[in-house]
Amino acid sequence: MASVSLVPFISKYNSVLNRDVTGLGKQNLFDGNSETCWNSEQGTPQHILVEFKQPVCIHSVVVQFQGGFAGKTTKLIDGDSKSEICPLYPEDNNKTQTLNLPLQEHGVERQKLKLQFVNSTDFHGRIIVYSLDFCGSVAQQPDNGPSNAGASTKDEPSVTPALTIT
């Protein structure tokens, strides 16, 4: 199955700088605008929790930090079981980085993911993220046998690339 960008429909975080959710909030993580960002308050740890409309199989996380404000020790955590999936090793720069998961994690279905920044390259623990994306595939749904006769057999898109702000 081809790898696609998987945009979550809900995202949450533990802080935003000066409580400026309009200018520095979660909507900026997925808006595709290189001029906007999510900016955390100071302190550690920081995190971003995302939820997808249905289970997905992730093979990489694509992230762009502000150099000097990157996640230093970073973990990807299963949002449901709260267990660590794997450590991630981003670099402290402004480049878009693809952080690959171990091969044994590629086929694992998950609906919630937590990106936890245990500490930051910033002395005060702030994190600045300009863009965030998850690459992988939508989990295969079990075939429950024939359903409505005459129903369309076309594959419908199963991940809606829209973010609902809560």
Side-chain angles (χ1 to χ4, degrees), residues 139-161:
Q140 295 294 319
Q141 298 300 312
D143 184 12
N144 294 332
S147 56
N148 297 337
S152 173
T153 58
K154 283 187 173 179
D155 289 336
E156 298 294 327
S158 47
V159 176
T160 304

Side-chain angles (χ1 to χ4, degrees), residues 58-63 65 74 76 86-91 96-102 115 117 132-133:
I58 301 294
H59 66 71
S60 61
V61 177
V62 181
V63 63
F65 292 101
T74 303
L76 187 62
C86 66
L88 299 173
Y89 303 100
E91 296 179 15
T96 301
Q97 304 174 51
T98 300
L99 308 170
N100 293 312
L101 277 63
L115 197 56
F117 308 106
L132 180 63
D133 196 7

Side-chain angles (χ1 to χ4, degrees), residues 10 35 37 44 58 79 83-84 98-99 103 113 119 124 130 166:
I10 292 178
E35 301 294 318
C37 65
T44 55
I58 301 294
S83 61
E84 182 177 337
T98 300
L99 308 170
L103 286 175
L113 294 169
N119 54 33
H124 299 286
Y130 281 91
T166 58

Side-chain angles (χ1 to χ4, degrees), residues 77-98:
I77 298 171
D78 185 300
D80 288 318
S81 71
K82 313 292 189 246
S83 61
E84 182 177 337
I85 298 168
C86 66
L88 299 173
Y89 303 100
E91 296 179 15
D92 183 15
N93 62 40
N94 299 342
K95 297 177 183 175
T96 301
Q97 304 174 51
T98 300

Side-chain angles (χ1 to χ4, degrees), residues 107-124:
V108 179
E109 296 180 11
R110 296 185 171 89
Q111 196 154 355
K112 294 179 186 176
L113 294 169
K114 183 178 184 179
L115 197 56
Q116 184 175 49
F117 308 106
V118 179
N119 54 33
S120 169
T121 57
D122 174 54
F123 179 74
H124 299 286

